[in-house]
Amino acid sequence: MNRKYRKTVIAGNWKMNLLPSDVKAYGEALRQRAGKVKFCDLVVCVPAVSIPAAVKAFRDTRIAVGAQDLSEHASGAYTGEVSAAQLKDAGAKYVIVGHSERRTYHGETNETVNAKLHASIDGGLTPIVCVGETQAQRDMGISKDIIRAQVKTAFYKIPADRARKIIIAYEPVWAIGTGLTATPAEAQEICSEIRAVIRSLYDARIARAVTILYGGSMNPANAAELLAQPDIDGGLIGGASLDAGKFVQVINAANQ
Ligand code: PGA
């Protein structure tokens, strides 16, 4: 973390878990425990149908609500899709873009991710754009090439004043939901590479200001060590965010 230059962000990603009717109890548990957070921004990314309940549950707290995906289109005949404007109107402030599960199960390409990044910014949401290599790519020794291509394509035609507000999450696919975590040194190496790509696309000032998260089996036991790395500015937490108690322990690690 480097709070002098950029924000620390801890974001939960519920994925397709919990019901809208579960949100109230989660909100009460988190509200009690997260009351003392000063040094980091908190986000909980919930299924779209749970956004209104989450907005209500987190009212008057520092916890913002995020969505997990959005349409690349602003409006129109796209049955089943949800636009940035609709998410914003429902109370979301953030949106995850290009999560590896969207890339793997829903055919999202680097180009789709770029279109969705534009749509999220145009719609007034703060995107959390995910990048990460698969186990096979890691074994082939091409992790950095994959990450560079993902970041460069995602940021294509994103103007500098907008780029600095985008949150990037490095989520190695082999670490998501597996209990395997990148070592702090491995995660730092890639996060520093991501910052270097942003520097090459924009400038040193913007690269210094961009918040980069690590995600992939981050939990109370490994959070502090990961967050101690200079280029890791927070976390995107899946499994451990479903339990308010565990999520608070991760938040506490970031709130030092
Ligand atoms: P995990 O998920 O913490 O359960 O590995 C992280 C994510 O996919 O965002």
Side-chain angles (χ1 to χ4, degrees):
M1 296 185 286
N2 186 337
R3 287 210 190 90
K4 187 165 165 216
Y5 296 118
R6 46 193 179 258
K7 282 185 181 174
T8 302
V9 177
I10 296 291
N13 174 12
W14 283 8
K15 310 192 180 188
M16 200 173 72
N17 293 297
L18 304 182
L19 301 172
S21 57
D22 292 326
V23 178
K24 191 165 177 243
Y26 181 97
E28 277 160 12
L30 191 57
R31 181 186 273 272
Q32 275 176 8
R33 295 163 167 159
K36 297 198 178 73
V37 178
K38 288 198 184 75
F39 302 123
C40 60
D41 289 2
L42 303 178
V43 186
V44 179
C45 297
V46 301
V49 288
S50 293
I51 290 172
V55 169
K56 198 167 166 208
F58 300 139
R59 187 168 289 150
D60 303 324
T61 72
R62 294 175 45 99
I63 307 158
V65 176
Q68 300 175 2
D69 182 36
L70 80 165
S71 171
E72 63 191 85
H73 305 286
S75 66
Y78 301 102
T79 302
E81 294 278 83
V82 182
S83 72
Q86 290 166 335
L87 295 169
K88 188 168 183 219
D89 193 63
K93 297 227 166 2
Y94 292 79
V95 62
I96 298 174
V97 177
H99 190 280
S100 71
E101 287 148 18
R102 302 291 319 169
R103 294 178 190 256
T104 305
Y105 307 131
H106 300 275
E108 290 194 11
T109 62
N110 287 345
E111 289 73 18
T112 322
V113 173
N114 173 248
K116 291 191 172 191
L117 206 51
H118 279 278
S120 61
I121 296 168
D122 292 344
L125 297 171
T126 298
I128 303 173
V129 61
C130 300
V131 297
E133 80 285 4
T134 62
Q135 181 69 58
Q137 291 162 340
R138 186 181 186 222
D139 293 344
M140 286 159 75
I142 57 169
S143 301
K144 284 191 184 167
D145 302 293
I146 296 295
I147 303 289
R148 278 188 214 110
Q150 288 177 335
V151 175
K152 281 187 186 168
T153 319
F155 279 77
Y156 180 66
K157 290 204 168 164
I158 302 276
D161 60 324
R162 292 176 155 204
R164 61 182 303 137
K165 297 189 188 119
I166 294 173
I167 298 170
I168 304 170
Y170 168 52
E171 296 210 308
V173 180
W174 50 270
I176 295 176
T178 57
L180 300 171
T181 319
T183 64
E186 281 173 325
Q188 163 59 26
E189 193 182 340
I190 301 283
C191 290
S192 148
E193 180 65 25
I194 292 170
R195 205 175 297 288
V197 175
I198 297 297
R199 194 177 305 121
S200 74
L201 294 175
Y202 301 96
D203 60 29
R205 215 168 33 90
I206 289 174
R208 210 167 57 185
V210 162
T211 291
I212 302 177
L213 313 180
Y214 169 79
S217 300
M218 194 163 171
N219 60 47
N222 59 29
E225 241 194 320
L226 287 159
L227 295 168
Q229 303 302 311
D231 287 296
I232 301 181
D233 308 310
L236 183 55
I237 327 293
S241 75
L242 293 174
D243 174 326
K246 281 193 191 152
F247 191 45
V248 165
Q249 288 180 53
V250 175
I251 293 169
N252 288 344
N255 191 44
Q256 303 299 321

